[in-house]
Amino acid sequence: MKAIDILKKFTIIFVLIGLVIIFSVINPVFFSVQNFTNIFVQQSYVIIAAIGLAFVMISGGMDLSVGYQMSLVGIMTALAMMWWNLPMPAAVLIGLATGMFLGIINGVAAVSLKVHPLIVTLGTMTIFQGVSYIISNSNPIFGLPDSFKYLGQGYVMGIPVCVLIMAVIVAFASLILNKTYFGRYVYALGSNDEAAHLAGVNVKWMKICVFIISGFCVAVSSIILVARAGSATSATGVGTEFTCMTAAVLGGVSFKGGAGKVWGVITGVLILGVLSSGMQIIGLGTYPQYVAKGLVLLAAVGFDNYQKTAKVKKVL
C-alpha cells in the first residue's frame, strides 16, 4: 500500500493523534491517564448510540429520533423500577424492549410510507418527545437503586462497567458488519437497494432490521447514561443524534450509504470527545464547543462528498 493510500485510509486517526498532541502541549494536564479514562467513560454511551446509527446510515438511511428514543427509554426504565417496583434486571429488559420497539416503529414507517427515513424520523422524533413528557409529566425520576447505577458508575478490576459494555457492543457490531451475510447485505442496501433486491435481498425486512439494531444500541446507550446520572428526565439524551451523526460521518460513514467501519465511528466519537475535553481544559466554554462541532460536521460532509466525487471520476 502506498504512503498516500495509508494517509487517506487513516486520516481520522492522524487527526485524533494530532488533537491529543496539540492539547497536551497547551496544557500537560490533558495528557494523563485520569483524563483519558474520563473521556472514554463520558463517550462510552455516545459510541454505542453512534454504532447503532451507523447501521442505519450504512444501509442508506438516517435516524433523527435517536435523542428522544434515549429520552423515552430512560423514562420507561426508571419508572419500571420506581413506580412499578420491578427488579433492576426486569427494568433493564423493559428499557431494551422499548428501544427495539421504537426501532420497529421507525423501520415500518419508513418502509410503509416509502419516504426517506430522514423525514420519517423527523416525525417520530416529535412523537417520542411528546410521549416521553406525557409519561414523566415533565418531572425527573430520582432515587434509582445502586444496583442499577452500578451499570454507569461501577468498576470491574479497575475498568469502568460502561466501558466494558461498550467494548462488547463494539465487538458484536464489528463481527456482524465484517463477518456475516447480514453485514454484507447492509452495505449492499446502502450502495444500491435496487441491485440488492435483484440479488435476492429482502430489502424491506433489512431496512426494518437496521432500525431495530439502532433502537437496541440506543436503548443500551440510554440505560448507561441514566445509570451514570442516577436519575432520569425527559431531557436525557436529547441532542445525542447530532453528536452521533457528526462522529459517524467524520469516521467515514457516508451520508449516501454503502460505506463505513465501526473503528471509524469510534475514532470519530473520540475526536469529538478529545475536542470537547481539550476545550474545557484550556478554559473555553460550552458554546465555543458547539461552534467547533458544527465546523467539524461541515468539514466531514465536505470530505465525504469529495471522496465520492473522486471515486466517480476515477471510474469514468
Side-chain angles (χ1 to χ4, degrees):
M1 186 181 289
K2 296 179 180 179
I4 188 67
D5 294 328
I6 294 175
L7 183 62
K8 286 181 179 179
K9 185 175 181 179
F10 299 107
T11 298
I12 54 170
I13 292 181
F14 295 137
V15 170
L16 177 60
I17 294 172
L19 285 174
V20 170
I21 292 173
I22 290 171
F23 286 124
S24 299
V25 170
I26 294 175
N27 191 332
V29 173
F30 180 86
F31 198 80
S32 64
V33 174
Q34 183 62 48
N35 186 51
F36 290 141
T37 301
N38 289 339
I39 290 174
F40 269 102
V41 170
Q42 291 168 2
Q43 301 304 317
S44 58
Y45 82 94
V46 181
I47 289 175
I48 295 171
I51 287 174
L53 180 60
F55 271 86
V56 176
M57 292 179 67
I58 291 171
S59 72
M62 176 55 69
D63 190 351
L64 296 180
S65 68
V66 166
Y68 281 107
Q69 283 186 59
M70 292 181 67
S71 166
L72 190 48
V73 167
I75 291 295
M76 289 297 293
T77 305
L79 69 82
M81 287 182 285
M82 305 309 297
W83 296 0
W84 301 342
N85 296 316
L86 293 177
M88 186 274 285
V92 169
L93 288 176
I94 286 176
L96 296 176
T98 300
M100 294 173 72
F101 178 68
L102 299 180
I104 291 173
I105 291 175
N106 282 335
V108 170
V111 169
S112 302
L113 297 176
K114 298 179 180 179
V115 178
H116 194 281
L118 186 147
I119 305 299
V120 171
T121 55
L122 186 62
T124 58
M125 173 184 75
T126 308
I127 295 172
F128 299 157
Q129 176 186 15
V131 173
S132 177
Y133 278 97
I134 289 171
I135 292 175
S136 69
N137 199 26
S138 300
N139 294 320
I141 303 175
F142 295 107
L144 300 180
D146 291 337
S147 59
F148 177 74
K149 289 191 284 188
Y150 179 77
L151 297 176
Q153 302 175 12
Y155 288 80
V156 174
M157 294 175 19
I159 304 174
V161 173
C162 57
V163 174
L164 291 175
I165 295 173
M166 177 200 74
V168 172
I169 296 293
V170 166
F172 271 107
S174 298
L175 180 67
I176 291 171
L177 282 176
N178 298 326
K179 302 297 182 180
T180 67
Y181 283 109
F182 182 87
R184 294 183 191 129
Y185 293 160
V186 172
Y187 284 106
L189 198 64
S191 297
N192 190 323
D193 60 352
E194 184 62 32
H197 172 70
L198 294 174
V201 177
N202 189 331
V203 172
K204 291 183 178 180
W205 174 241
M206 284 295 299
K207 287 182 178 180
I208 294 174
C209 282
V210 292
F211 274 105
I212 294 174
I213 291 173
S214 177
F216 175 81
C217 290
V218 168
V220 175
S221 173
S222 176
I223 289 168
I224 288 175
L225 183 58
V226 171
R228 272 185 54 206
S231 62
T233 72
S234 290
T236 300
V238 176
T240 304
E241 66 281 352
F242 174 76
T243 303
C244 291
M245 182 173 60
T246 304
V249 177
L250 185 61
V253 178
S254 175
F255 265 120
K256 298 176 182 178
K261 295 291 184 181
V262 171
W263 69 264
V265 175
I266 296 171
T267 307
V269 174
L270 291 179
I271 286 175
L272 295 178
V274 165
L275 193 62
S276 177
S277 175
M279 292 177 74
Q280 287 177 355
I281 286 176
I282 64 177
L284 294 177
T286 302
Y287 300 121
Q289 293 178 39
Y290 290 151
V291 175
K293 286 182 179 180
L295 292 173
V296 167
L297 176 59
L298 290 175
V301 171
F303 186 67
D304 176 49
N305 285 330
Y306 168 77
Q307 285 188 315
K308 287 285 185 179
T309 303
K311 286 181 180 178
V312 171
K313 287 182 178 179
K314 186 178 291 186
V315 171
L316 295 176

